[in-house]
Amino acid sequence: MPKLPRLNAKEAETLLLQSGFILLRTQGSHRIYQLDNIRVIIPFHGSKILHPKIIKQVIEAIEIDNT
């Protein structure tokens, strides 16, 4: 498996919005996006790089949407 890109929360948000996800709500420092029955939660903590598991979740959600 290729290495995952290093993304911060703003970059992940941009990818989700370009794929058609909408912002459902904000709860604390987390933003929840949804498209059909796929939900993705992104933690916004400054410009920190997201954990690889979260990046993997974002990429898989985008890939599921595109198939």
Side-chain angles (χ1 to χ4, degrees), residues 15-23 33-36 38-40 58 61-62 65:
L15 290 174
L16 287 172
L17 293 175
Q18 288 174 349
S19 296
F21 282 79
I22 59 167
L23 176 64
Y33 301 90
Q34 185 168 359
L35 179 65
D36 299 329
I38 304 169
R39 189 176 353 181
V40 180
V58 169
I62 291 170
D65 174 52

Side-chain angles (χ1 to χ4, degrees), residues 13 23-33 42 44:
E13 178 184 45
L23 176 64
L24 279 182
R25 67 183 186 274
T26 302
Q27 188 171 9
S29 61
H30 294 75
R31 295 183 186 172
I32 297 113
Y33 301 90
I42 304 290
F44 274 75

